[in-house]
Amino acid sequence: MASDKDDINVRLIEYYGPRLRRLVVVDQVLDHYLELEPDVKEQIRQKHAAVGNSAAVDLLISAVIKKPHKPGWFRTFVDALTHAGCVFAADYIQVKAPEPEVEAENDYCVNLIQLLSPKLMDMNTDVVCDHCFSEGLITQADSELIKTTTANKGPLGGARELLSSIVRGRPGWFSTFLKVLRETEHAHLLSELTGESSDCCMKGEKQCSLADEEMETDAPAAAGSCNSPEYTVISSTEEHPQEADLYGAASSGTKQMPESMEISQPEPEAAAGGPEKDKIVLRDYQEEVAKPALEGKNIIICLPTGSGKTRVAVYITKKHLDHRRAERRSGKVVVLVNKVPLVEQHYSEEFCRFLKPAYKVERVSGDCQLKISFTEIVKNNDVIVCTAQILENFLERSNTGEDEGVNLSDLTLIVIDECHHTQKGGVYNHIMMRYLKQKHKNRLLKKEQKEPVPLPQILGLTASPGVGGATKMAKAEDHILRICANLDAYKIMTGDLGQHKKEPRKNCKTIEDRKEDPFGDVIKNIMNAIHTHAELNPTSDLGSQTYEQWVVQKERLAATEENQKVRVCAEHLRQYSEGLNLSNTIRMRDAFNFLNKYNEEEIKKKRTPDEEEQKIKITDTERFLFNLFNEKKEELKRLTEHPEYENKSLSQLRSIVLQEFTSRDKARGIIFTKTRRSAIALSQWIQENSKFDDVGVKAAYVIGGGDQSNVKPMTTAEQRDVLTKFRDGEVNLLIATTVAEEGLDIAACNLVIRYGLVTNEIAMIQARGRGRAEDSSYTLVEVKNSGVFEKESVNEYRITMMDKAIEKIRALDRGEYEKRITDFQLQAIMENRVRMTKKKQKSMQEQKGDVKFSCRSCSKHVCTGEDIQIIENMHRVNVTPEFCKLFIKRENTTLQERLLDYETNFFIACKECGQRWGSMMIFRGIDVPCLHVKNFVVTFNEKKISKCTKWNELNIKFPAFDYAEHARQVVDNSDEDDD
């Protein structure tokens, strides 16, 4: 019999779980509930501190109803609720819930407080708190908490806690609260709650009191009373379109009471009825950091990932545009991002959602289908979300006068996302250098009593400015101050997230080294044989990062010295080093496939495309290298079939993923890995392993789009497709390189793994911040030679140093801060002038000088700078008849691009040695050989340049490609052939 009664009580608690989440205050209940073990209580308190009250209530309920039950367990729980002041919660589980009509009316009163809470916080919190306590609306514990919160977070925080407390009371609390407001002379709050003017508040209060009395007598509320659903909807959508509920969620005017008392930032999925119906709701710390920007000042907002920096930027943008519209002045806002996928993310999920239809919002990137002039887009829209390079390009056009461009004076606000990149060499800094120069000129104009050129307001967003590699506090301060100076920031703003702070659980997994590694030993034997052949003496461990740097230096030096024996050996050593790393990171078979494919490609370079008798020269060293791999090929392949020799880090990764996906209802995670090749291989490994499929793992990889690797890059469209599937849950495990570290906003991600990859403190904060869901985990997995734990410790130290440096900067006297900022700005302007002067002088010299290009592999002279032309200020081409006789064409099987006016389907390679030189483009119907400078040794004035991997490293102004002249020659030659 007792068991049946216990089962009924359990079902009651479970049934009223949603109500209990709203009505129970965990900390207070735990003080009175003595049945729980101390460790269970501590676990619940930790849950409350880390996640919030609702989640902690769920944990408390699970502990209370857990079998076996002690005699009197239910009565003990009810008493604990009652003594903790949660009497309404105790009523529900004792089957003393109010009638449906009364419950509905009470919910409407709660809803009204929620909807009008931003207006209601303007109160004398301490006085109202005392009166509420004397009237029995709140408990002694509530009163103490409210006063503590007021002392720590100010009257607004205390008022929020007060409103949260009173709505947990039994029906009838509303009229008592109106009475308190009247007695404490808060007529303006009475006016907000009753809908009457201040003069008519007494009347409004009587109506609400009557409503409460009717609730207590089971009678429905009178039409038009403040408790009716019609009044609630009108208040939220018409009179106060920007107001939020008590708990931070945008209200849609629905009658249903939210199940949680948690203060939560509205997520994109919560949008109801289209973007125009979403409201911009800020938390206390967000409002605090936004204040200087609302006054028109340049600031940097430095908040952790997932804390709503972009939402604050949207709010500031709207207030900025509203203010200018009220003054009958136009506003023009540009939102800058540093990665193409972030354009669509910021546009669709934030700026477009909250600002349309009041303002015209558009996005532009290199991947955008909107193929019209950027200048026109700026003219015709209020907010433009774009990549920073696009704005810089059009600022430069305006500066040179070569085309219609954009001026800084056309803009009124620039929002710079991930603004810690505003440093030397970055596109953000190029834009801000224009700003600083004009600001300096404006000072001179003012002295001459001339009208200064208007400059936009600057708003920077970052989760971590970093310390710039500093080891001392002073250097860290200088680094952050330079970023502040570059952004002309009045102040760097930080905030205390309080209960909203989400710190993922951190785990570190140390991997034991292999007892046997015969696969790696074979690779090392091959490498040592190459060292002997080329007379090279490495000074570091094979496969280490130091070794790879040493090999790269040897290859560059040998190329400039035309030492082809060492050059080709160094190139092969670099690939074997990569293979060694792959065997320590992924499967041996992946490493073998990589090395086998590399050797096949190298051998293929030595054959002509039509498979005729070999005409391309093979040197003795190349023949030695090919034979060396072929001799060991079968042994390597055989070893890949022995799973006992696989690296332990891979099995550790499998255990972590399987554990996370079996212990969570909806796991969604990201694995960060070092190279593109390892990301692809890990994705294939997971897809081929049935154990992952059994627990519902659906994996995909995302890698960068730059063509700086032998691995086929991802197009922007491919990246966007994978990220969309990840957000929608079609993919729940993303394997990514660092391309996904910054800016990726996926609220449901609850698992982050850094697999043998640790860089600097900024990347660490960014990667850790990808886990934004509740109870997220952040795991480090050691991979051989990765030095993960050592680097992570250094980064933790740097983060601590960064936080202290920011606080010291914020504490600086205003005069001292401005002096240091001005000094850094003047220094930056002078350094920029010196740099530009040197660049012009160097450019002038190189235009007149003798620039030659020779094959990187066989040192054959290829062409001079006079033979090269440029297409679309991007592609360097050589269409001379002499050059066309020097190369062969090979089909490019890994890259099939379709761009504006050209396509790239073939490689061009040296006839002598098979070294790739570039690609064969089809530009407006004409074959055009396009050169990649990294494949050549560049000589200037008889002096070889040891490192030249990008064309912009050569300060040479090549003439524009004369399409008409070349097309005429092609047609003439074609006519001769026809004859």
Side-chain angles (χ1 to χ4, degrees):
M1 189 72 183
S3 178
D4 292 341
K5 189 172 182 180
D6 284 348
D7 289 341
I8 293 172
N9 289 333
V10 167
R11 286 198 292 273
L12 276 172
I13 293 173
E14 290 177 337
Y15 180 79
Y16 287 112
R19 287 281 172 183
L20 297 181
R21 288 193 206 106
R22 181 169 65 82
L23 297 173
V24 170
V25 184
V26 162
D27 277 338
Q28 295 179 24
V29 173
L30 289 177
D31 291 338
H32 296 277
Y33 192 53
L34 306 178
E35 294 295 322
L36 294 180
E37 297 294 330
D39 59 333
V40 177
K41 281 190 176 184
E42 183 59 27
Q43 185 181 359
I44 296 171
R45 292 191 192 276
Q46 289 178 0
K47 189 81 170 180
H48 179 267
V51 183
N53 192 71
S54 290
V57 171
D58 287 338
L59 198 58
L60 172 64
I61 290 174
S62 299
V64 169
I65 64 178
K66 185 178 179 181
K67 294 182 179 180
H69 297 128
K70 295 180 180 179
W73 67 273
F74 182 73
R75 185 71 258 166
T76 303
F77 182 53
V78 170
D79 290 341
L81 292 176
T82 304
H83 292 133
C86 305
V87 289
F88 201 17
D91 288 348
Y92 271 100
I93 64 174
Q94 292 180 96
V95 202
K96 296 180 182 178
E99 293 296 324
E101 295 86 359
V102 177
E103 185 180 62
E105 293 296 336
N106 187 67
D107 286 347
Y108 296 150
C109 287
V110 172
N111 216 10
L112 179 62
I113 296 292
Q114 294 174 320
L115 293 168
L116 299 182
S117 61
K119 299 269 186 179
L120 300 178
M121 291 180 198
D122 182 18
M123 67 170 72
N124 188 331
T125 308
D126 285 338
V127 173
V128 175
C129 176
D130 290 339
H131 277 69
C132 287
F133 176 65
S134 64
E135 291 290 343
L137 287 178
I138 58 176
T139 65
Q140 179 69 43
D142 290 331
S143 176
E144 291 173 357
L145 178 60
I146 292 165
K147 291 189 176 182
T148 301
T149 304
T150 303
N152 293 336
K153 299 183 179 181
L156 286 180
R160 179 178 286 107
E161 192 65 43
L162 171 64
L163 295 175
S164 300
S165 300
I166 63 170
V167 297
R168 292 193 292 263
R170 286 169 169 159
W173 59 266
F174 190 81
S175 60
T176 307
F177 182 56
L178 293 181
K179 175 185 174 185
V180 168
L181 293 179
R182 180 177 58 80
E183 291 176 350
T184 55
E185 299 180 352
H186 286 78
H188 61 295
L189 302 185
L190 278 171
S191 176
E192 291 294 338
L193 286 171
T194 60
E196 302 289 343
S197 64
S198 298
D199 294 334
C200 301
C201 281
M202 287 298 296
K203 179 180 178 181
E205 183 194 352
K206 290 176 181 177
Q207 290 176 335
C208 290
S209 298
L210 176 62
D212 270 334
E213 290 170 5
E214 290 169 338
M215 286 166 56
E216 292 167 359
T217 56
D218 300 342
S225 77
C226 64
N227 297 307
S228 68
E230 292 81 11
Y231 181 92
T232 301
V233 174
I234 292 171
S235 296
S236 64
T237 61
E238 293 183 14
E239 292 185 14
H240 307 289
Q242 297 303 323
E243 301 307 325
D245 66 35
L246 177 59
Y247 312 111
S251 174
S252 58
T254 58
K255 300 178 185 180
Q256 185 177 357
M257 175 65 191
E259 291 185 353
S260 172
M261 290 289 282
E262 287 298 293
I263 304 176
S264 59
Q265 189 77 33
E267 298 296 340
E269 294 79 11
E276 69 276 8
K277 293 188 179 180
D278 281 310
K279 309 300 182 291
I280 305 176
V281 180
L282 297 188
R283 298 167 178 158
D284 280 354
Y285 67 86
Q286 292 172 323
E287 291 178 355
E288 188 66 29
V289 298
K291 282 180 181 178
L294 298 177
E295 298 169 1
K297 293 182 173 66
N298 296 350
I299 64 168
I300 296 172
I301 293 178
C302 181
L303 291 174
T305 53
S307 59
K309 293 184 295 294
T310 309
R311 185 66 51 82
V312 179
V314 177
Y315 182 80
I316 292 169
T317 297
K318 186 178 187 306
K319 292 298 183 182
H320 173 84
L321 293 172
D322 289 347
H323 179 70
R324 294 188 70 87
R325 178 176 284 181
E327 294 182 343
R328 299 185 180 276
R329 296 188 295 163
S330 64
K332 196 73 62 180
V333 181
V334 171
V335 182
L336 301 180
V337 298
N338 61 336
K339 292 180 182 176
V340 173
L342 297 182
V343 173
E344 185 63 33
Q345 177 176 297
H346 283 348
Y347 170 79
S348 59
E349 296 184 15
E350 295 291 344
F351 287 89
C352 184
R353 168 187 165 187
F354 288 102
L355 299 182
K356 277 192 173 183
Y359 296 101
K360 294 180 180 178
V361 186
E362 192 52 80
R363 80 283 208 192
V364 187
S365 70
D367 188 53
C368 184
Q369 300 300 314
L370 198 62
K371 302 300 181 184
I372 62 175
S373 167
F374 180 71
T375 307
E376 289 300 312
I377 294 173
V378 172
K379 286 181 180 178
N380 298 327
N381 291 277
D382 302 302
V383 181
I384 304 94
V385 184
C386 67
T387 47
Q389 191 61 56
I390 288 179
L391 177 61
E392 168 61 12
N393 291 345
F394 279 82
L395 290 172
E396 179 61 22
R397 288 188 185 189
S398 179
N399 183 51
T400 58
E402 64 182 69
D403 192 6
E404 186 180 14
V406 174
N407 295 308
L408 284 175
S409 57
D410 298 331
L411 313 175
T412 59
L413 172 63
I414 298 178
V415 179
I416 302 180
D417 190 40
E418 309 295 353
C419 69
H420 51 269
H421 292 298
T422 314
Q423 301 185 56
K424 287 181 182 178
V427 63
Y428 284 161
N429 211 42
H430 293 163
I431 294 170
M432 286 308 302
M433 187 52 61
R434 299 178 188 278
Y435 177 101
L436 295 179
K437 287 179 178 178
Q438 188 58 57
K439 178 185 176 184
H440 183 64
K441 290 177 183 177
N442 281 350
R443 288 175 180 156
L444 300 178
L445 289 172
K446 288 179 180 179
K447 288 182 179 179
E448 297 171 1
Q449 296 185 340
K450 294 180 181 178
E451 189 68 24
V453 175
L455 286 172
Q457 181 183 352
I458 305 296
L459 173 62
L461 308 175
T462 183
S464 167
V467 296
T471 56
K472 296 182 179 179
M473 183 63 69
K475 294 293 183 182
E477 286 181 52
D478 284 349
H479 170 78
I480 297 170
L481 280 170
R482 278 195 178 91
I483 295 176
C484 293
N486 292 340
L487 290 159
D488 194 36
Y490 167 80
K491 201 169 187 180
I492 181 168
M493 301 297 295
T494 60
D496 180 10
L497 274 62
Q499 63 179 314
H500 306 292
K501 187 175 182 180
K502 294 180 180 179
E503 285 289 343
R505 291 180 286 107
K506 184 174 180 178
N507 304 305
C508 298
K509 301 295 182 180
T510 303
I511 309 301
E512 294 182 7
D513 205 355
R514 290 178 171 121
K515 294 180 180 178
E516 294 182 88
D517 184 15
F519 184 88
D521 292 340
V522 173
I523 294 178
K524 289 177 181 179
N525 290 336
I526 295 174
M527 295 172 75
N528 286 326
I530 298 174
H531 294 149
T532 303
H533 179 82
E535 298 179 353
L536 294 171
N537 297 302
T539 57
S540 52
D541 293 338
L542 304 188
S544 66
Q545 188 173 354
T546 307
Y547 176 84
E548 188 170 335
Q549 292 169 350
W550 173 80
V551 167
V552 170
Q553 291 172 354
K554 287 293 181 183
E555 192 276 335
R556 287 175 181 164
L557 182 61
T560 56
E561 293 177 349
E562 298 185 10
N563 185 341
Q564 298 309 326
K565 179 180 180 179
V566 172
R567 190 205 66 79
V568 71
C569 284
E571 181 57 40
H572 278 251
L573 285 171
R574 185 178 180 184
Q575 304 307 316
Y576 282 112
S577 181
E578 173 70 6
L580 203 56
N581 280 320
L582 289 174
S583 73
N584 290 326
T585 307
I586 46 182
R587 296 170 294 186
M588 291 184 293
R589 84 178 202 193
D590 296 312
F592 171 76
N593 290 338
F594 160 69
L595 292 173
N596 188 47
K597 183 178 180 181
Y598 171 74
N599 276 273
E600 287 178 350
E601 289 291 329
E602 290 300 300
I603 293 171
K604 186 177 178 182
K605 287 180 182 179
K606 302 302 176 180
R607 299 193 181 100
T608 54
D610 52 10
E611 297 297 333
E612 294 177 0
E613 185 181 348
Q614 285 190 2
K615 295 180 180 179
I616 299 174
K617 181 181 178 182
I618 300 179
T619 66
D620 291 340
T621 295
E622 288 171 333
R623 189 171 284 107
F624 163 78
L625 292 168
F626 295 151
N627 291 337
L628 186 61
F629 179 77
N630 286 331
E631 290 171 3
K632 302 293 184 181
K633 180 176 177 180
E634 288 304 317
E635 184 179 2
L636 287 170
K637 186 176 181 180
R638 178 179 56 80
L639 288 170
T640 63
E641 298 171 358
H642 291 263
E644 65 269 23
Y645 297 141
E646 291 287 6
N647 69 78
K648 301 298 182 182
S649 54
L650 202 60
S651 59
Q652 183 69 256
L653 179 64
R654 179 176 59 241
S655 299
I656 294 168
V657 173
L658 292 176
Q659 180 182 352
E660 291 285 352
F661 272 79
T662 52
S663 62
R664 297 178 185 272
D665 292 334
K666 291 184 179 180
R668 193 177 302 182
I670 304 176
I671 299 174
F672 288 105
T673 187
K674 187 176 181 181
T675 65
R676 297 177 179 184
R677 192 170 284 106
S678 63
I680 296 170
L682 283 173
S683 178
Q684 292 172 343
W685 168 65
I686 291 172
Q687 290 169 359
E688 293 169 6
N689 194 315
S690 59
K691 289 185 178 180
F692 291 112
D693 189 50
D694 292 342
V695 297
V697 176
K698 294 169 285 187
Y701 67 87
V702 60
I703 59 177
D707 192 13
Q708 301 296 321
S709 164
N710 292 328
V711 180
K712 179 182 178 293
M714 259 186 147
T715 65
T716 306
E718 289 171 333
Q719 290 176 344
R720 185 169 57 242
D721 181 56
V722 173
L723 293 178
T724 299
K725 289 179 179 178
F726 188 50
R727 282 195 186 89
D728 296 342
E730 191 174 338
V731 169
N732 56 19
L733 184 61
L734 202 63
I735 296 93
T737 54
T738 54
V739 68
E741 280 183 341
E742 288 191 1
L744 189 64
D745 186 12
I746 305 165
C749 183
N750 50 27
L751 165 64
V752 175
I753 300 173
R754 284 176 78 83
Y755 184 61
L757 171 67
V758 172
T759 50
N760 60 25
E761 71 280 6
I762 295 176
M764 173 182 162
I765 291 173
Q766 293 286 349
R768 192 165 58 189
R770 296 312 105 206
R772 300 188 178 183
E774 291 185 355
D775 195 28
S776 295
S777 66
Y778 171 75
T779 305
L780 294 170
V781 179
E782 178 80 77
V783 170
K784 189 176 180 181
N785 292 325
S786 65
V788 162
F789 297 150
E790 293 83 356
K791 293 177 183 177
E792 188 80 358
S793 298
V794 171
N795 287 338
E796 293 283 5
Y797 171 75
R798 286 174 173 170
I799 291 172
T800 303
M801 182 190 292
M802 179 192 73
D803 292 338
K804 290 180 179 178
I806 291 174
E807 288 306 310
K808 289 187 72 173
I809 290 169
R810 285 173 52 78
L812 283 176
D813 174 74
R814 170 52 48 187
E816 174 67 14
Y817 175 83
E818 291 181 353
K819 180 182 182 301
R820 294 180 70 177
I821 290 295
T822 302
D823 288 346
F824 280 128
Q825 289 178 346
L826 293 174
Q827 180 183 338
I829 292 171
M830 293 306 298
E831 288 176 352
N832 181 259
R833 285 179 181 173
V834 172
R835 200 159 43 244
M836 294 304 294
T837 301
K838 287 182 178 179
K839 186 176 180 180
K840 288 179 181 178
Q841 292 173 349
K842 189 176 181 182
S843 178
M844 290 172 65
Q845 291 172 357
E846 290 190 358
Q847 286 180 37
K848 298 174 183 177
D850 183 15
V851 182
K852 298 177 182 178
F853 300 88
S854 57
C855 178
R856 191 169 191 85
S857 178
C858 65
S859 303
K860 177 184 177 62
H861 173 72
V862 175
C863 64
T864 69
E866 294 176 354
D867 301 323
I868 297 176
Q869 297 176 320
I870 189 167
I871 294 176
E872 295 179 351
N873 200 32
M874 187 186 312
H875 308 284
R876 277 74 174 181
V877 300
N878 187 342
V879 294
T880 60
E882 294 79 13
F883 177 73
C884 293
K885 296 175 183 178
L886 300 177
F887 65 81
I888 56 176
K889 292 197 300 183
R890 297 187 186 279
E891 185 176 1
N892 183 351
T893 57
T894 62
L895 185 60
Q896 300 290 331
E897 293 185 346
R898 295 293 183 269
L899 301 174
L900 286 175
D901 296 313
Y902 59 88
E903 53 188 49
T904 330
N905 294 330
F906 291 91
F907 292 120
I908 59 173
C910 177
K911 274 187 177 180
E912 295 286 333
C913 65
Q915 168 71 42
R916 287 182 184 173
W917 286 351
S919 55
M920 180 63 74
M921 296 168 48
I922 302 177
F923 179 67
R924 300 181 186 175
I926 300 176
D927 285 344
V928 183
C930 179
L931 280 63
H932 299 171
V933 72
K934 66 182 179 180
N935 297 320
F936 300 92
V937 174
V938 182
T939 304
F940 169 61
N941 283 345
E942 305 303 325
K943 182 179 179 181
K944 290 183 173 65
I945 301 175
S946 61
K947 180 185 177 183
C948 189
T949 59
K950 298 179 182 178
W951 280 108
N952 58 17
E953 293 173 359
L954 281 178
N955 292 305
I956 303 175
K957 188 174 182 180
F958 296 109
F961 176 63
D962 192 337
Y963 174 80
E965 175 62 26
H966 189 65
R968 190 179 300 110
Q969 292 178 10
V970 172
V971 172
D972 291 344
N973 292 336
S974 177
D975 291 342
E976 290 176 7
D977 294 339
D978 291 341
D979 292 341

